[in-house]
């Protein structure tokens, strides 16, 4: 079984994000970049499926500038067999990413696509669902447990009421949640081995996909600073502040 694992290059989750002075976006100059944490979980899950004897090949995919090769090398160091970079300088939106992935699925013919449920930079949580719709494949989102057997997949996902179990026929799309697994530590020998693994580069036009943005960002601004807390004398004063100041009760 071949598995396709899309991975995204994002600002490292430990970095404090700063908005550009002109409000056009987030400043990423000289900022540490890394693989999207949810995508790390997806790579780890693909690795565990291979170790269980279910998966035979793992193909990592990233879309964006040349610098995304670094993210793909991380995926290769984690254990992916080969990588594909869809190279473009255009700011990619979820629908464009889904269309590119659909074209790659047509080329690679994987039986499973595992990707993070969302990216920590735009928090869209759309790509996996859009890809499933474009392909007409079943999907299991927010997976906290995955089991592959008998030509199908069993996905346990967290919902407001508890846990929901889905039975999917392969090929299928699975998006990963935080509690699915803990990604392994990348060792130096594996980093060195990753440099010799194949990494192919294609352009969106090679895939026949128009990635022109459909949405325009009007303005980006930081959230307002949180006000200092206040001490109240009794419950009555607390109720009055919640009603008259915070206006969260009537």
């Amino acid at each position: 079984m071949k598995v396709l694992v899309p991975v995204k290059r994002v600002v490292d989750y430990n970095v404090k994000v700063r908005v550009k002075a002109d409000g056009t976006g987030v400043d990423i100059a000289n900022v540490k970049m890394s693989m999207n944490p949810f995508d790390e979980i997806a790579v780890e899950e693909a690795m565990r499926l291979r170790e269980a004897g279910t998966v035979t090949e793992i193909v990592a995919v990233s879309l964006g500038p040349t610098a995304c090769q670094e993210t793909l090398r991380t995926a290769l160091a984690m254990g992916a067999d080969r990588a594909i970079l869809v190279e473009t300088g255009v700011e990619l939106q979820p629908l464009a990413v889904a269309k590119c992935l659909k074209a790659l699925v047509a080329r690679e013919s994987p039986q499973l696509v595992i990707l993070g449920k969302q990216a920590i930079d735009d928090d869209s949580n759309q790509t996996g669902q859009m890809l499933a719709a474009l392909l007409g494949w079943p999907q299991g989102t927010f997976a906290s447990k995955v089991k592959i057997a008998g030509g199908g997949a069993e996905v346990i996902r967290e919902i407001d009421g508890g846990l929901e179990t889905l039975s999917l026929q392969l090929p299928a799309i699975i998006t990963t949640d935080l509690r699915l697994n803990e990604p392994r530590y990348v060792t130096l020998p594996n980093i060195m081995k990753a440099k010799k693994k194949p990494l192919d580069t294609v352009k969106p036009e090679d895939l026949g996909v128009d990635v022109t943005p459909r949405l325009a960002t009007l303005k980006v601004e930081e959230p307002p600073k949180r006000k200092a807390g206040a001490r109240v004398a009794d419950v009555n004063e607390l109720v009055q502040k919640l009603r008259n100041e915070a206006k969260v009760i009537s």
Side-chain angles (χ1 to χ4, degrees):
M1 177 188 293
K2 181 189 293 187
V3 176
L4 199 69
V5 185
V7 295
K8 186 176 184 181
R9 179 175 181 263
V10 299
V11 175
D12 190 87
Y13 68 92
N14 287 313
V15 174
K16 179 176 173 55
V17 176
R18 299 186 182 278
V19 175
K20 292 180 180 178
D22 59 3
T24 58
V26 173
D27 187 4
I28 60 172
N30 301 316
V31 170
K32 181 183 178 182
M33 307 293 284
S34 62
M35 186 188 300
N36 179 47
F38 290 104
D39 296 337
E40 281 188 295
I41 294 171
V43 176
E44 174 65 26
E45 190 62 22
M47 286 294 302
R48 295 188 183 193
L49 290 173
R50 186 171 66 183
E51 290 167 354
T54 304
V55 169
T56 56
E57 185 180 16
I58 301 170
V59 182
V61 179
S62 192
L63 300 91
T66 306
C68 290
Q69 289 186 10
E70 180 183 346
T71 305
L72 287 171
R73 291 296 178 192
T74 300
L76 292 171
M78 290 179 69
D81 298 295
R82 57 189 177 89
I84 301 172
L85 171 62
V86 181
E87 188 175 12
T88 177
V90 177
E91 180 182 353
L92 295 173
Q93 295 174 351
L95 181 58
V97 174
K99 288 181 176 179
C100 288
L101 291 177
K102 179 190 175 185
L104 287 174
V105 166
R107 283 191 176 193
E108 296 290 330
S109 300
Q111 288 72 52
L112 188 63
V113 179
I114 306 178
L115 64 161
K117 69 173 184 177
Q118 66 193 76
I120 62 172
D121 53 0
D122 57 18
D123 277 335
S124 292
N125 181 23
Q126 295 176 342
T127 303
Q129 293 88 328
M130 286 179 170
L131 178 59
L134 291 172
L135 290 170
W137 286 10
Q139 59 180 305
T141 58
F142 302 89
S144 59
K145 188 174 182 181
V146 175
K147 181 180 179 181
I148 308 293
E154 182 180 278
V155 176
I156 298 178
R157 59 194 301 269
E158 298 181 357
I159 59 174
D160 291 341
L163 298 176
E164 179 182 58
T165 302
L166 302 177
S167 179
L168 310 176
Q169 288 295 318
L170 298 180
I173 308 293
I174 295 176
T175 71
T176 61
D177 208 345
L178 279 174
R179 279 163 287 281
L180 180 58
N181 61 52
E182 175 115 10
R184 66 194 62 194
Y185 178 75
V186 179
T187 61
L188 182 58
N190 286 335
I191 293 174
M192 300 305 293
K193 290 178 183 178
K195 295 181 179 180
K196 298 181 180 180
K197 291 183 179 181
L199 194 162
D200 299 326
T201 301
V202 297
K203 302 286 187 181
E205 49 268 29
D206 298 332
L207 302 174
V209 179
D210 179 11
V211 295
T212 303
R214 293 167 174 255
L215 306 175
T217 301
L218 301 180
K219 187 178 181 182
V220 177
E221 57 184 24
E222 293 187 13
K225 295 187 181 298
R226 187 173 180 178
K227 295 181 180 179
R231 186 186 296 274
V232 295
D234 51 37
V235 174
N236 290 331
E237 185 181 354
L238 172 61
V239 171
Q240 290 299 321
K241 285 183 175 293
L242 292 175
R243 177 179 291 121
N244 302 324
E245 296 181 19
K247 299 187 184 300
V248 294
I249 62 173
S250 56

